[in-house]
Short mmCIF file of all heavy atoms in Angstrom, two decimals:
data_model
loop_
_atom_site.label_atom_id
_atom_site.label_comp_id
_atom_site.label_asym_id
_atom_site.label_seq_id
_atom_site.Cartn_x
_atom_site.Cartn_y
_atom_site.Cartn_z
N MET A 1 -30.42 3.01 2.34
CA MET A 1 -30.15 1.65 2.79
C MET A 1 -28.60 1.42 2.88
O MET A 1 -27.96 1.72 1.86
CB MET A 1 -30.76 0.66 1.92
CG MET A 1 -30.46 -0.81 2.24
SD MET A 1 -31.46 -2.00 1.37
CE MET A 1 -30.41 -2.31 -0.03
N ALA A 2 -28.10 1.03 3.92
CA ALA A 2 -26.67 0.79 4.08
C ALA A 2 -26.32 -0.56 3.39
O ALA A 2 -27.10 -1.47 3.38
CB ALA A 2 -26.25 0.65 5.51
N MET A 3 -25.17 -0.52 2.71
CA MET A 3 -24.68 -1.74 2.06
C MET A 3 -23.43 -2.23 2.81
O MET A 3 -22.58 -1.50 3.32
CB MET A 3 -24.25 -1.41 0.62
CG MET A 3 -25.39 -0.99 -0.20
SD MET A 3 -24.88 -0.59 -1.89
CE MET A 3 -24.63 -2.22 -2.60
N THR A 4 -23.29 -3.54 2.86
CA THR A 4 -22.08 -4.18 3.44
C THR A 4 -21.00 -4.21 2.36
O THR A 4 -21.29 -4.04 1.13
CB THR A 4 -22.41 -5.55 3.95
OG1 THR A 4 -22.68 -6.41 2.74
CG2 THR A 4 -23.56 -5.63 4.96
N ALA A 5 -19.77 -4.53 2.76
CA ALA A 5 -18.68 -4.71 1.78
C ALA A 5 -19.04 -5.82 0.79
O ALA A 5 -18.79 -5.73 -0.40
CB ALA A 5 -17.39 -5.03 2.54
N ASN A 6 -19.62 -6.88 1.34
CA ASN A 6 -20.07 -7.93 0.40
C ASN A 6 -21.08 -7.56 -0.63
O ASN A 6 -21.04 -7.90 -1.73
CB ASN A 6 -20.57 -9.10 1.18
CG ASN A 6 -19.47 -9.90 1.89
OD1 ASN A 6 -18.39 -9.99 1.33
ND2 ASN A 6 -19.74 -10.45 3.10
N ASP A 7 -21.98 -6.63 -0.19
CA ASP A 7 -23.01 -6.16 -1.09
C ASP A 7 -22.36 -5.31 -2.21
O ASP A 7 -22.72 -5.46 -3.39
CB ASP A 7 -24.00 -5.24 -0.40
CG ASP A 7 -24.88 -5.94 0.64
OD1 ASP A 7 -25.14 -7.13 0.49
OD2 ASP A 7 -25.35 -5.30 1.57
N VAL A 8 -21.41 -4.55 -1.84
CA VAL A 8 -20.70 -3.71 -2.88
C VAL A 8 -19.95 -4.58 -3.85
O VAL A 8 -20.04 -4.39 -5.10
CB VAL A 8 -19.74 -2.71 -2.14
CG1 VAL A 8 -18.86 -1.97 -3.19
CG2 VAL A 8 -20.53 -1.68 -1.34
N MET A 9 -19.20 -5.61 -3.36
CA MET A 9 -18.48 -6.43 -4.25
C MET A 9 -19.39 -7.17 -5.15
O MET A 9 -19.09 -7.37 -6.32
CB MET A 9 -17.58 -7.44 -3.43
CG MET A 9 -16.47 -6.73 -2.62
SD MET A 9 -15.44 -5.68 -3.53
CE MET A 9 -14.60 -6.90 -4.55
N LYS A 10 -20.51 -7.64 -4.67
CA LYS A 10 -21.51 -8.32 -5.55
C LYS A 10 -22.06 -7.41 -6.59
O LYS A 10 -22.18 -7.79 -7.73
CB LYS A 10 -22.62 -8.92 -4.66
CG LYS A 10 -23.68 -9.66 -5.49
CD LYS A 10 -24.71 -10.26 -4.60
CE LYS A 10 -25.76 -11.06 -5.31
NZ LYS A 10 -26.19 -10.69 -6.60
N MET A 11 -22.31 -6.17 -6.17
CA MET A 11 -22.94 -5.18 -7.18
C MET A 11 -21.85 -4.87 -8.29
O MET A 11 -22.21 -4.76 -9.44
CB MET A 11 -23.29 -3.87 -6.43
CG MET A 11 -23.84 -2.83 -7.42
SD MET A 11 -24.28 -1.30 -6.62
CE MET A 11 -22.64 -0.68 -6.13
N LEU A 12 -20.56 -4.75 -7.90
CA LEU A 12 -19.55 -4.50 -8.90
C LEU A 12 -19.52 -5.62 -9.96
O LEU A 12 -19.43 -5.34 -11.09
CB LEU A 12 -18.19 -4.42 -8.28
CG LEU A 12 -17.94 -3.22 -7.29
CD1 LEU A 12 -16.56 -3.22 -6.67
CD2 LEU A 12 -18.09 -1.91 -7.98
N LYS A 13 -19.69 -6.88 -9.47
CA LYS A 13 -19.67 -7.89 -10.40
C LYS A 13 -20.95 -8.01 -11.15
O LYS A 13 -20.89 -8.19 -12.40
CB LYS A 13 -19.47 -9.26 -9.58
CG LYS A 13 -19.40 -10.51 -10.44
CD LYS A 13 -19.19 -11.71 -9.64
CE LYS A 13 -19.08 -12.96 -10.58
NZ LYS A 13 -18.95 -14.19 -9.79
N ASP A 14 -22.09 -7.98 -10.57
CA ASP A 14 -23.39 -8.05 -11.16
C ASP A 14 -23.56 -6.94 -12.28
O ASP A 14 -24.13 -7.27 -13.37
CB ASP A 14 -24.53 -7.94 -10.22
CG ASP A 14 -24.61 -9.16 -9.35
OD1 ASP A 14 -23.88 -10.17 -9.54
OD2 ASP A 14 -25.40 -9.12 -8.26
N LYS A 15 -23.11 -5.83 -12.02
CA LYS A 15 -23.33 -4.66 -13.00
C LYS A 15 -22.14 -4.44 -13.85
O LYS A 15 -22.12 -3.52 -14.64
CB LYS A 15 -23.57 -3.38 -12.19
CG LYS A 15 -24.81 -3.46 -11.33
CD LYS A 15 -25.57 -2.25 -11.27
CE LYS A 15 -26.80 -2.35 -10.46
NZ LYS A 15 -28.01 -2.47 -11.13
N GLU A 16 -21.10 -5.33 -13.78
CA GLU A 16 -19.93 -5.28 -14.62
C GLU A 16 -19.23 -3.93 -14.61
O GLU A 16 -18.84 -3.37 -15.59
CB GLU A 16 -20.25 -5.72 -16.07
CG GLU A 16 -20.76 -7.18 -16.17
CD GLU A 16 -21.06 -7.60 -17.59
OE1 GLU A 16 -20.86 -6.79 -18.53
OE2 GLU A 16 -21.56 -8.71 -17.70
N VAL A 17 -19.18 -3.41 -13.36
CA VAL A 17 -18.49 -2.12 -13.14
C VAL A 17 -17.02 -2.21 -13.51
O VAL A 17 -16.36 -3.20 -13.18
CB VAL A 17 -18.65 -1.63 -11.67
CG1 VAL A 17 -17.88 -0.38 -11.39
CG2 VAL A 17 -20.17 -1.48 -11.37
N LYS A 18 -16.53 -1.17 -14.24
CA LYS A 18 -15.15 -1.19 -14.67
C LYS A 18 -14.19 -0.50 -13.75
O LYS A 18 -13.00 -0.78 -13.62
CB LYS A 18 -14.95 -0.65 -16.09
CG LYS A 18 -15.85 -1.35 -17.18
CD LYS A 18 -15.38 -2.74 -17.36
CE LYS A 18 -16.26 -3.44 -18.40
NZ LYS A 18 -16.36 -4.76 -18.28
N PHE A 19 -14.70 0.64 -13.11
CA PHE A 19 -13.85 1.48 -12.20
C PHE A 19 -14.69 1.84 -11.02
O PHE A 19 -15.88 2.06 -11.05
CB PHE A 19 -13.37 2.78 -12.90
CG PHE A 19 -12.42 2.55 -14.04
CD1 PHE A 19 -12.90 2.31 -15.30
CD2 PHE A 19 -11.07 2.57 -13.82
CE1 PHE A 19 -12.04 2.11 -16.36
CE2 PHE A 19 -10.16 2.36 -14.84
CZ PHE A 19 -10.65 2.12 -16.13
N VAL A 20 -13.92 2.04 -9.89
CA VAL A 20 -14.59 2.60 -8.62
C VAL A 20 -13.87 3.90 -8.42
O VAL A 20 -12.68 3.99 -8.44
CB VAL A 20 -14.28 1.70 -7.45
CG1 VAL A 20 -14.78 2.25 -6.13
CG2 VAL A 20 -14.93 0.28 -7.73
N ASP A 21 -14.66 4.98 -8.27
CA ASP A 21 -14.15 6.32 -8.11
C ASP A 21 -14.22 6.68 -6.61
O ASP A 21 -15.25 6.68 -5.97
CB ASP A 21 -15.04 7.31 -8.85
CG ASP A 21 -14.30 8.62 -9.08
OD1 ASP A 21 -13.11 8.66 -9.32
OD2 ASP A 21 -14.97 9.66 -8.95
N LEU A 22 -12.97 6.83 -5.95
CA LEU A 22 -12.95 7.16 -4.53
C LEU A 22 -12.78 8.66 -4.42
O LEU A 22 -11.87 9.29 -5.10
CB LEU A 22 -11.73 6.41 -3.96
CG LEU A 22 -11.74 4.97 -4.13
CD1 LEU A 22 -10.36 4.35 -3.60
CD2 LEU A 22 -12.92 4.27 -3.45
N ARG A 23 -13.64 9.29 -3.62
CA ARG A 23 -13.61 10.73 -3.53
C ARG A 23 -13.37 11.20 -2.06
O ARG A 23 -13.84 10.53 -1.12
CB ARG A 23 -14.95 11.35 -4.07
CG ARG A 23 -15.11 11.14 -5.50
CD ARG A 23 -16.43 11.66 -5.97
NE ARG A 23 -16.53 11.47 -7.38
CZ ARG A 23 -16.19 12.40 -8.26
NH1 ARG A 23 -15.76 13.59 -7.88
NH2 ARG A 23 -16.30 12.17 -9.57
N PHE A 24 -12.66 12.35 -1.87
CA PHE A 24 -12.49 12.96 -0.63
C PHE A 24 -12.27 14.42 -0.72
O PHE A 24 -12.02 14.91 -1.83
CB PHE A 24 -11.24 12.30 0.11
CG PHE A 24 -9.93 12.54 -0.64
CD1 PHE A 24 -9.08 13.52 -0.25
CD2 PHE A 24 -9.59 11.69 -1.67
CE1 PHE A 24 -7.96 13.72 -0.92
CE2 PHE A 24 -8.36 11.91 -2.29
CZ PHE A 24 -7.52 12.93 -1.94
N THR A 25 -12.35 15.13 0.35
CA THR A 25 -12.13 16.59 0.32
C THR A 25 -10.78 16.83 0.99
O THR A 25 -10.45 16.34 2.09
CB THR A 25 -13.23 17.32 1.12
OG1 THR A 25 -14.54 16.96 0.57
CG2 THR A 25 -13.05 18.74 1.03
N ASP A 26 -9.92 17.64 0.28
CA ASP A 26 -8.61 18.00 0.83
C ASP A 26 -8.72 18.96 1.94
O ASP A 26 -9.76 19.41 2.36
CB ASP A 26 -7.59 18.34 -0.28
CG ASP A 26 -7.95 19.70 -0.90
OD1 ASP A 26 -8.73 20.45 -0.32
OD2 ASP A 26 -7.40 19.93 -2.05
N THR A 27 -7.57 19.42 2.50
CA THR A 27 -7.53 20.24 3.68
C THR A 27 -8.00 21.65 3.33
O THR A 27 -8.33 22.47 4.27
CB THR A 27 -6.16 20.27 4.32
OG1 THR A 27 -5.27 20.71 3.31
CG2 THR A 27 -5.74 18.95 4.89
N LYS A 28 -8.07 22.02 2.07
CA LYS A 28 -8.52 23.30 1.60
C LYS A 28 -9.99 23.33 1.12
O LYS A 28 -10.50 24.25 0.65
CB LYS A 28 -7.67 23.88 0.54
CG LYS A 28 -6.21 24.18 1.04
CD LYS A 28 -5.43 24.92 0.06
CE LYS A 28 -4.11 25.30 0.70
NZ LYS A 28 -3.46 26.41 -0.02
N GLY A 29 -10.63 22.17 1.26
CA GLY A 29 -12.04 22.03 0.93
C GLY A 29 -12.32 21.64 -0.52
O GLY A 29 -13.45 21.60 -0.97
N LYS A 30 -11.28 21.37 -1.33
CA LYS A 30 -11.45 21.00 -2.72
C LYS A 30 -11.70 19.45 -2.83
O LYS A 30 -10.95 18.71 -2.19
CB LYS A 30 -10.19 21.42 -3.53
CG LYS A 30 -10.39 21.11 -4.97
CD LYS A 30 -9.13 21.53 -5.78
CE LYS A 30 -9.30 21.20 -7.25
NZ LYS A 30 -8.08 21.51 -8.01
N GLU A 31 -12.66 19.08 -3.68
CA GLU A 31 -12.91 17.64 -3.79
C GLU A 31 -11.82 17.03 -4.70
O GLU A 31 -11.43 17.64 -5.77
CB GLU A 31 -14.27 17.40 -4.46
CG GLU A 31 -14.60 15.93 -4.51
CD GLU A 31 -15.95 15.73 -5.06
OE1 GLU A 31 -16.97 15.70 -4.26
OE2 GLU A 31 -16.10 15.43 -6.26
N GLN A 32 -11.26 15.90 -4.28
CA GLN A 32 -10.26 15.18 -5.04
C GLN A 32 -10.76 13.73 -5.27
O GLN A 32 -11.77 13.34 -4.59
CB GLN A 32 -8.97 15.03 -4.16
CG GLN A 32 -8.39 16.41 -3.72
CD GLN A 32 -7.77 17.13 -4.80
OE1 GLN A 32 -7.25 16.55 -5.81
NE2 GLN A 32 -7.64 18.41 -4.63
N HIS A 33 -10.23 13.05 -6.25
CA HIS A 33 -10.61 11.66 -6.48
C HIS A 33 -9.57 10.89 -7.07
O HIS A 33 -8.61 11.41 -7.70
CB HIS A 33 -11.98 11.64 -7.32
CG HIS A 33 -11.69 11.93 -8.81
ND1 HIS A 33 -11.57 10.90 -9.69
CD2 HIS A 33 -11.54 13.07 -9.43
CE1 HIS A 33 -11.37 11.48 -10.88
NE2 HIS A 33 -11.35 12.74 -10.76
N VAL A 34 -9.69 9.64 -6.98
CA VAL A 34 -8.82 8.67 -7.65
C VAL A 34 -9.68 7.48 -8.14
O VAL A 34 -10.60 7.02 -7.43
CB VAL A 34 -7.66 8.15 -6.72
CG1 VAL A 34 -8.20 7.43 -5.51
CG2 VAL A 34 -6.74 7.24 -7.41
N SER A 35 -9.51 7.09 -9.38
CA SER A 35 -10.30 5.97 -9.95
C SER A 35 -9.47 4.70 -9.87
O SER A 35 -8.31 4.63 -10.32
CB SER A 35 -10.69 6.29 -11.40
OG SER A 35 -11.56 7.39 -11.46
N VAL A 36 -10.14 3.61 -9.41
CA VAL A 36 -9.45 2.37 -9.22
C VAL A 36 -10.14 1.33 -10.17
O VAL A 36 -11.35 1.10 -10.06
CB VAL A 36 -9.59 1.86 -7.83
CG1 VAL A 36 -8.80 0.53 -7.61
CG2 VAL A 36 -9.02 2.89 -6.81
N PRO A 37 -9.38 0.64 -11.09
CA PRO A 37 -9.95 -0.41 -11.85
C PRO A 37 -10.51 -1.48 -10.92
O PRO A 37 -9.92 -1.81 -9.92
CB PRO A 37 -8.84 -0.96 -12.65
CG PRO A 37 -7.85 0.18 -12.76
CD PRO A 37 -7.96 0.89 -11.43
N THR A 38 -11.71 -2.03 -11.21
CA THR A 38 -12.29 -3.02 -10.32
C THR A 38 -11.42 -4.23 -10.11
O THR A 38 -11.51 -4.94 -9.07
CB THR A 38 -13.72 -3.43 -10.79
OG1 THR A 38 -13.65 -3.80 -12.11
CG2 THR A 38 -14.63 -2.29 -10.66
N LYS A 39 -10.58 -4.53 -11.08
CA LYS A 39 -9.69 -5.70 -10.91
C LYS A 39 -8.69 -5.48 -9.74
O LYS A 39 -8.10 -6.48 -9.23
CB LYS A 39 -8.92 -6.07 -12.22
CG LYS A 39 -7.95 -5.06 -12.69
CD LYS A 39 -7.31 -5.55 -14.01
CE LYS A 39 -6.35 -4.54 -14.56
NZ LYS A 39 -5.80 -4.98 -15.77
N PHE A 40 -8.51 -4.20 -9.34
CA PHE A 40 -7.62 -4.01 -8.17
C PHE A 40 -8.41 -3.60 -6.97
O PHE A 40 -7.89 -3.18 -5.97
CB PHE A 40 -6.66 -2.83 -8.50
CG PHE A 40 -5.67 -3.16 -9.61
CD1 PHE A 40 -5.73 -2.46 -10.81
CD2 PHE A 40 -4.85 -4.22 -9.47
CE1 PHE A 40 -4.85 -2.78 -11.89
CE2 PHE A 40 -3.95 -4.60 -10.58
CZ PHE A 40 -4.04 -3.90 -11.71
N PHE A 41 -9.74 -3.75 -6.96
CA PHE A 41 -10.63 -3.34 -5.85
C PHE A 41 -11.05 -4.66 -5.27
O PHE A 41 -11.84 -5.45 -5.90
CB PHE A 41 -11.74 -2.49 -6.40
CG PHE A 41 -12.44 -1.77 -5.33
CD1 PHE A 41 -12.07 -0.59 -4.81
CD2 PHE A 41 -13.59 -2.42 -4.71
CE1 PHE A 41 -12.75 0.11 -3.85
CE2 PHE A 41 -14.27 -1.76 -3.64
CZ PHE A 41 -13.88 -0.53 -3.23
N ASP A 42 -10.75 -4.92 -3.99
CA ASP A 42 -11.14 -6.22 -3.40
C ASP A 42 -11.58 -5.90 -1.94
O ASP A 42 -11.58 -4.72 -1.52
CB ASP A 42 -10.03 -7.24 -3.42
CG ASP A 42 -8.65 -6.69 -2.84
OD1 ASP A 42 -8.75 -5.70 -2.03
OD2 ASP A 42 -7.62 -7.24 -3.11
N MET A 43 -11.85 -6.90 -1.20
CA MET A 43 -12.39 -6.75 0.21
C MET A 43 -11.38 -6.03 1.11
O MET A 43 -11.72 -5.34 2.04
CB MET A 43 -12.68 -8.10 0.79
CG MET A 43 -13.94 -8.82 0.19
SD MET A 43 -15.47 -7.88 0.39
CE MET A 43 -15.74 -8.15 2.15
N ASP A 44 -10.04 -6.15 0.77
CA ASP A 44 -8.99 -5.53 1.57
C ASP A 44 -9.16 -3.96 1.55
O ASP A 44 -8.85 -3.31 2.47
CB ASP A 44 -7.62 -5.89 1.10
CG ASP A 44 -6.54 -5.39 1.97
OD1 ASP A 44 -6.59 -5.64 3.17
OD2 ASP A 44 -5.65 -4.74 1.43
N LYS A 45 -9.71 -3.37 0.52
CA LYS A 45 -9.92 -1.94 0.40
C LYS A 45 -10.84 -1.49 1.53
O LYS A 45 -10.67 -0.34 1.99
CB LYS A 45 -10.54 -1.53 -0.96
CG LYS A 45 -9.70 -1.81 -2.13
CD LYS A 45 -8.58 -0.80 -2.21
CE LYS A 45 -7.80 -1.08 -3.51
NZ LYS A 45 -6.40 -0.83 -3.37
N PHE A 46 -11.81 -2.29 1.99
CA PHE A 46 -12.71 -1.83 3.06
C PHE A 46 -11.99 -1.86 4.40
O PHE A 46 -12.44 -1.18 5.27
CB PHE A 46 -13.92 -2.81 3.13
CG PHE A 46 -14.78 -2.74 1.84
CD1 PHE A 46 -14.58 -3.50 0.78
CD2 PHE A 46 -15.72 -1.75 1.74
CE1 PHE A 46 -15.37 -3.44 -0.36
CE2 PHE A 46 -16.52 -1.57 0.63
CZ PHE A 46 -16.31 -2.41 -0.43
N GLU A 47 -10.94 -2.67 4.54
CA GLU A 47 -10.20 -2.70 5.87
C GLU A 47 -8.97 -1.84 5.88
O GLU A 47 -8.75 -1.06 6.76
CB GLU A 47 -9.80 -4.17 6.09
CG GLU A 47 -10.90 -5.12 6.35
CD GLU A 47 -11.60 -4.85 7.65
OE1 GLU A 47 -10.97 -4.49 8.63
OE2 GLU A 47 -12.88 -4.98 7.71
N SER A 48 -8.20 -1.86 4.78
CA SER A 48 -6.91 -1.16 4.76
C SER A 48 -7.00 0.19 3.95
O SER A 48 -6.04 1.02 4.07
CB SER A 48 -5.84 -2.04 4.08
OG SER A 48 -5.73 -3.23 4.81
N GLY A 49 -7.98 0.35 3.18
CA GLY A 49 -8.17 1.60 2.44
C GLY A 49 -7.34 1.50 1.13
O GLY A 49 -6.96 0.37 0.68
N HIS A 50 -7.13 2.67 0.55
CA HIS A 50 -6.40 2.69 -0.80
C HIS A 50 -5.33 3.77 -0.72
O HIS A 50 -5.67 5.00 -0.48
CB HIS A 50 -7.40 2.97 -1.85
CG HIS A 50 -6.72 3.02 -3.28
ND1 HIS A 50 -6.45 1.87 -3.93
CD2 HIS A 50 -6.35 4.05 -4.07
CE1 HIS A 50 -5.86 2.23 -5.12
NE2 HIS A 50 -5.76 3.55 -5.15
N ALA A 51 -4.10 3.43 -0.84
CA ALA A 51 -3.02 4.32 -0.79
C ALA A 51 -2.95 5.17 -2.18
O ALA A 51 -3.32 4.69 -3.17
CB ALA A 51 -1.70 3.64 -0.64
N PHE A 52 -2.49 6.36 -2.06
CA PHE A 52 -2.38 7.26 -3.22
C PHE A 52 -1.22 8.27 -2.95
O PHE A 52 -0.90 8.47 -1.82
CB PHE A 52 -3.68 7.97 -3.63
CG PHE A 52 -4.14 9.02 -2.55
CD1 PHE A 52 -3.78 10.31 -2.71
CD2 PHE A 52 -4.86 8.58 -1.47
CE1 PHE A 52 -4.19 11.15 -1.70
CE2 PHE A 52 -5.25 9.46 -0.53
CZ PHE A 52 -4.95 10.84 -0.62
N ASP A 53 -0.74 8.86 -4.03
CA ASP A 53 0.32 9.83 -3.92
C ASP A 53 -0.39 11.22 -3.71
O ASP A 53 -1.00 11.74 -4.66
CB ASP A 53 1.15 9.78 -5.24
CG ASP A 53 2.16 10.87 -5.22
OD1 ASP A 53 2.43 11.52 -4.23
OD2 ASP A 53 2.86 10.98 -6.31
N GLY A 54 -0.15 11.83 -2.55
CA GLY A 54 -0.80 13.09 -2.30
C GLY A 54 0.11 14.29 -2.59
O GLY A 54 -0.25 15.40 -2.28
N SER A 55 1.29 14.01 -3.19
CA SER A 55 2.24 15.07 -3.42
C SER A 55 1.65 16.23 -4.36
O SER A 55 2.16 17.33 -4.33
CB SER A 55 3.53 14.56 -3.97
OG SER A 55 3.34 13.96 -5.24
N SER A 56 0.65 15.95 -5.20
CA SER A 56 0.19 16.92 -6.09
C SER A 56 -1.13 17.65 -5.47
O SER A 56 -1.76 18.43 -6.15
CB SER A 56 -0.22 16.32 -7.50
OG SER A 56 -1.19 15.30 -7.25
N ILE A 57 -1.42 17.31 -4.25
CA ILE A 57 -2.58 17.93 -3.63
C ILE A 57 -2.16 19.07 -2.70
O ILE A 57 -1.28 18.85 -1.80
CB ILE A 57 -3.40 16.80 -2.83
CG1 ILE A 57 -3.83 15.75 -3.82
CG2 ILE A 57 -4.55 17.47 -2.09
CD1 ILE A 57 -4.48 14.62 -3.12
N ALA A 58 -2.73 20.26 -2.87
CA ALA A 58 -2.36 21.42 -2.09
C ALA A 58 -2.50 21.11 -0.60
O ALA A 58 -3.52 20.50 -0.20
CB ALA A 58 -3.23 22.57 -2.51
N GLY A 59 -1.54 21.50 0.15
CA GLY A 59 -1.63 21.33 1.63
C GLY A 59 -1.02 20.00 2.09
O GLY A 59 -0.83 19.82 3.30
N TRP A 60 -0.60 19.14 1.16
CA TRP A 60 -0.03 17.84 1.49
C TRP A 60 1.45 17.91 1.27
O TRP A 60 1.87 18.76 0.58
CB TRP A 60 -0.71 16.72 0.73
CG TRP A 60 -2.15 16.52 1.19
CD1 TRP A 60 -3.08 17.47 1.39
CD2 TRP A 60 -2.78 15.26 1.35
NE1 TRP A 60 -4.25 16.87 1.69
CE2 TRP A 60 -4.10 15.54 1.69
CE3 TRP A 60 -2.33 13.94 1.33
CZ2 TRP A 60 -5.01 14.51 2.00
CZ3 TRP A 60 -3.25 12.96 1.61
CH2 TRP A 60 -4.60 13.27 1.93
N LYS A 61 2.23 17.06 1.78
CA LYS A 61 3.65 17.11 1.59
C LYS A 61 4.01 16.82 0.16
O LYS A 61 3.63 15.87 -0.44
CB LYS A 61 4.32 16.03 2.54
CG LYS A 61 5.80 16.20 2.54
CD LYS A 61 6.42 15.33 3.63
CE LYS A 61 7.89 15.58 3.67
NZ LYS A 61 8.37 15.59 5.04
N GLY A 62 4.85 17.73 -0.42
CA GLY A 62 5.31 17.57 -1.78
C GLY A 62 6.52 16.71 -1.94
O GLY A 62 7.16 16.32 -0.86
N ILE A 63 6.87 16.43 -3.13
CA ILE A 63 8.06 15.62 -3.41
C ILE A 63 9.22 16.55 -3.36
O ILE A 63 9.22 17.56 -4.03
CB ILE A 63 7.90 14.87 -4.77
CG1 ILE A 63 6.78 13.86 -4.76
CG2 ILE A 63 9.22 14.25 -5.14
CD1 ILE A 63 6.46 13.36 -6.18
N ARG A 64 10.27 16.17 -2.69
CA ARG A 64 11.48 16.91 -2.64
C ARG A 64 12.56 16.26 -3.41
O ARG A 64 13.03 15.13 -3.01
CB ARG A 64 11.93 17.13 -1.10
CG ARG A 64 10.93 17.76 -0.16
CD ARG A 64 11.12 19.18 -0.30
NE ARG A 64 10.10 19.83 0.69
CZ ARG A 64 9.95 21.08 0.62
NH1 ARG A 64 10.50 21.90 -0.19
NH2 ARG A 64 9.03 21.57 1.45
N LEU A 65 12.90 16.85 -4.49
CA LEU A 65 13.99 16.20 -5.33
C LEU A 65 15.33 16.73 -4.74
O LEU A 65 15.50 17.90 -4.38
CB LEU A 65 13.80 16.68 -6.78
CG LEU A 65 12.53 16.21 -7.42
CD1 LEU A 65 12.45 16.73 -8.77
CD2 LEU A 65 12.44 14.64 -7.43
N PRO A 66 16.30 15.84 -4.74
CA PRO A 66 17.68 16.28 -4.25
C PRO A 66 18.26 17.27 -5.17
O PRO A 66 18.10 17.17 -6.37
CB PRO A 66 18.45 14.97 -4.22
CG PRO A 66 17.71 14.07 -5.11
CD PRO A 66 16.28 14.43 -5.13
N THR A 67 18.92 18.22 -4.59
CA THR A 67 19.67 19.20 -5.44
C THR A 67 21.05 18.64 -5.66
O THR A 67 21.64 18.02 -4.75
CB THR A 67 19.68 20.51 -4.76
OG1 THR A 67 20.29 20.43 -3.43
CG2 THR A 67 18.27 21.12 -4.61
N CYS A 68 21.53 18.97 -6.77
CA CYS A 68 22.93 18.52 -7.00
C CYS A 68 23.67 19.60 -7.86
O CYS A 68 23.05 20.47 -8.43
CB CYS A 68 22.97 17.16 -7.82
SG CYS A 68 22.33 17.30 -9.45
N CYS A 69 24.90 19.53 -7.85
CA CYS A 69 25.80 20.33 -8.62
C CYS A 69 25.61 21.74 -8.36
O CYS A 69 25.21 22.62 -9.09
CB CYS A 69 25.80 19.92 -10.08
SG CYS A 69 25.78 18.16 -10.32
#
């Protein structure tokens, strides 16, 4: 059964969920995830998504620190 965004938000509240675990597969096929506290999970997540730092994920752009001296 498909759930709407409103259904999900109601379930989070009704079941007193503390974290939402977002999962995806990277470009090399490895499963990755990020856990979001429910206090930061709102209806906007369904429209805009959730930003994360991908620099530690293989195949994604890394952080380039400036060289000096």
Side-chain angles (χ1 to χ4, degrees):
M1 175 170 94
M3 295 180 76
T4 67
N6 285 328
D7 293 336
V8 172
M9 296 305 295
K10 182 178 182 325
M11 182 182 66
L12 294 177
K13 182 178 179 183
D14 291 349
K15 301 218 179 252
E16 298 180 4
V17 173
K18 303 294 181 210
F19 292 89
V20 175
D21 197 41
L22 305 174
R23 296 177 176 268
F24 64 96
T25 304
D26 66 19
T27 57
K28 294 189 174 202
K30 182 178 178 187
E31 186 176 275
Q32 305 286 337
H33 75 98
V34 60
S35 295
V36 181
T38 52
K39 66 181 178 182
F40 298 116
F41 196 88
D42 56 20
M43 290 298 287
D44 187 53
K45 296 285 186 215
F46 294 94
E47 293 292 323
S48 301
H50 181 80
F52 65 95
D53 177 6
S55 64
S56 62
I57 299 172
W60 293 44
K61 189 168 184 144
I63 296 172
R64 302 273 182 191
L65 299 175
T67 57
C68 69
C69 314

